Amino acid sequence: MKLKIRLTVFLSFSSLYSIVCAQSTEIDSLQHVLRVTKADTAKVNQYNVIADLYKEINPDSTLFYAQKAVVLSTKANYNFGLATAFMNKGNASIILGNYPVALKYFKNAQTEFEIILRKNPTRAIKKGLARAYASSGVVYSEQSNYTLALKNDEKALQLYQEIEEQLSISKVLNNIGIVYKSQLIYPKALHYFKEAHKIQLALGEENAPMTLTNIGVIYFEMGEYQNAIQYYEQAKKGFEKSNNKRGFALLNNYLGDYYKKQNNKLLALDYYQKSLYLYEEIQNKFGASLALFNIGLLLQEQHKYSEALPFATKSLAYAKEIGVQDQTFHTEKLLSELYESLNDSKAALMHYKNYIIARDSINNQETNNKFARAEINYEFNKKEALLSEEHKREIQFVIFSIVGVLLLIVLGIVIYNRMQVKRQLTLKKEVAEYEQKALHLQMNPHFVFNCLSSISSFIVQNGTDSALKYLSKFSKLMRLTLEYSKGSLIPIDKEIESLQNYLELEQLRFHDKFEFEIQSTENVEFNMGLPPLLIQPFVENAILHGMVPKEGKGKISVNFDVRNQQLVCTITDDGIGLSESKLLKENSVTAHQSMALDITKKRLKIMESITSKSAKIEIIELNSDQQKTGTKVTLFLPIQYIP
């Protein structure tokens, strides 16, 4: 392993040395020309060319020369030079992992190019503006803002198509494929990647290995590992002939993932280390943080906790330095587990708290409430320990102090113990209520996130008029949700109204893919209530996993009834059924997993502890003539009344 790494390092330094020599010669020549150049605009152009040459070998020098171009362009009122300087500064910031700053520079470049375009709509200006849009799209994609990423990429693609810039068209197609891949829309992602690769093959373009890598990743995510490794190997051959260190570093990381999946941990570690070296060579802290995390995770799986620790620590430092919240979240969790395995409970707790904070920030949840819950649990355990210790001391004091009054001692202990039991039961009930509220807070953002995702998808697919109609219904649904979000119970008629709105929204989204009905029997009283957002996740599952994959139109029924002193809610669909839905999930790879079912089970357990009555859920597959004809979910809830 060490020999292979040394060989890789030697070859990389040799390659880098030759590239640096060639570029240094060109830079020296340009700097000589710069010294004898008199015109300000010509000097600006020289500064920008030098800045671009430094981009891969020394991004800090790129920033230095680009700043000189900014100052001189502003003085000379030279918009094109200023726009180009902003592009150079943005590109250097991306390489250095500073995405918010890069985005600011690209937006400045867009503004300058648009000013010029209004006066002089030439091919060069359109190309510059397209580059600014495409670069912004890359940053938005890295920040997981896929709507804005697609918007900027589509603007760039339109401009490149107007000027028939085939090379740049292929790059934008590749970027759009990455956006769809990030959203797990694999068929669209493959389409754009393969279209990009066709153009790259025709042009003999050096970025073809990056596109091959992306195609391999799609097949890997879909579980088609043989196709994945074939594309990875083709990409590897291409990268070995090019100087795209960033792309090669990313490919090595994916190869590490592949061999880890194949249980070849030695080869996986080798590729992760190659990826790390390349990322650090080009000062890309975002990629280096990911490679360090993967090495730490791999060593953890091999129970090499001490060896994994420095990699995870450095990964976290990089992630925090460049402000990548998602990487911070994963690395804090890994560090917590490593310290726990090394029996350092204090450090494990510290990183676990940081992991919780990062997770809540990603999910747009109320971090203060989460932290408060952790503090409540901590204080409760602390009080329990103090009470237990105090109890022991008091018993010892009674035994050694009042020997003669045995009856009084026994009576005092009995009374005291009964008070303690009562106090503990009260505390446990309060903690259960806190957990119920915390789970509700966790559920509410999850529901809102799913609705907003639906709206985003609908806007992209259906246009402005339909989107406005969708948003109108969504606002009504949000009003009902927020109106009852603070309480522990919602009236059944309001729950039915919320479900009605939600199902109408989903009907719009899926073009009347299903019908629905909501019924309530006469046994259900008007002042009965149930916890908010308890039914909606199962209706959502019926739509996404029952109706959407089904051929033709389906139907969903929701029924409320009272049976055997319990409130019974039944959600029935005539979709594809549990078995086929599970099979579809096994044949696809999904990065995000719904929290709704787990949260609902926890809420039912807490409901049982608070009401001391049974609360359970049954999920069965419906069959007819040996065919799967749908799914039936039944919730049995304790009857609760709203005062």
Side-chain angles (χ1 to χ4, degrees), residues 83 87 103 105-111 113 126-138 152 156 160:
M87 287 299 299
L103 188 60
Y105 288 133
F106 292 140
K107 285 185 175 295
N108 289 342
Q110 288 173 25
T111 302
F113 279 126
K126 286 185 177 181
K127 184 176 179 180
L129 181 57
R131 280 182 60 216
Y133 279 127
S135 299
S136 296
V138 170
N152 279 269
Y160 282 134

Side-chain angles (χ1 to χ4, degrees), residues 510-611:
F510 293 109
H511 310 290
D512 291 323
K513 177 74 175 177
F514 61 90
E515 298 175 347
F516 70 88
E517 63 176 4
I518 305 174
Q519 296 180 338
S520 174
T521 69
E522 61 184 11
N523 296 328
V524 179
E525 300 176 38
F526 73 94
N527 59 343
M528 287 182 179
L530 71 165
L533 291 174
L534 193 67
I535 308 300
Q536 183 270 341
F538 299 102
V539 176
E540 181 181 356
N541 282 342
I543 296 169
L544 297 181
H545 305 302
M547 298 293 101
V548 174
K550 178 180 178 177
E551 293 184 4
K553 204 168 186 178
K555 183 176 181 181
I556 297 173
S557 300
V558 182
N559 182 267
F560 294 91
D561 196 2
V562 175
R563 298 198 297 265
N564 299 325
Q565 300 299 313
Q566 282 190 307
L567 177 62
V568 181
C569 177
T570 307
I571 304 99
T572 308
D573 69 76
D574 60 355
I576 63 174
L578 286 171
S579 302
E580 191 169 343
S581 176
K582 183 178 179 182
L583 183 62
L584 287 175
K585 289 179 183 178
E586 289 175 352
N587 291 331
S588 67
V589 178
T590 304
H592 171 266
Q593 293 182 351
S594 175
M595 302 180 294
L597 185 57
D598 289 340
I599 292 173
T600 301
K601 289 179 179 178
K602 290 179 182 178
R603 294 179 77 185
L604 292 178
K605 288 181 181 179
I606 292 171
M607 198 184 303
E608 284 185 334
S609 68
I610 292 174
T611 63

Side-chain angles (χ1 to χ4, degrees), residues 44-45 48-49 51-52 66 69-70 73 78-91 109 112-113 128 131:
V44 169
N45 293 336
N48 278 325
V49 172
D52 187 60
V70 167
S73 296
Y78 182 32
N79 296 101
F80 182 80
L82 184 58
T84 307
F86 283 137
M87 287 299 299
N88 281 326
K89 295 186 84 169
N91 289 330
E112 296 301 323
F113 279 126
R131 280 182 60 216

Side-chain angles (χ1 to χ4, degrees), residues 46-65:
Q46 293 294 324
Y47 281 137
N48 278 325
V49 172
I50 294 171
D52 187 60
L53 286 171
Y54 270 121
K55 181 173 60 181
E56 293 293 340
I57 59 175
N58 191 340
D60 290 326
S61 294
T62 295
L63 291 173
F64 173 78
Y65 282 100

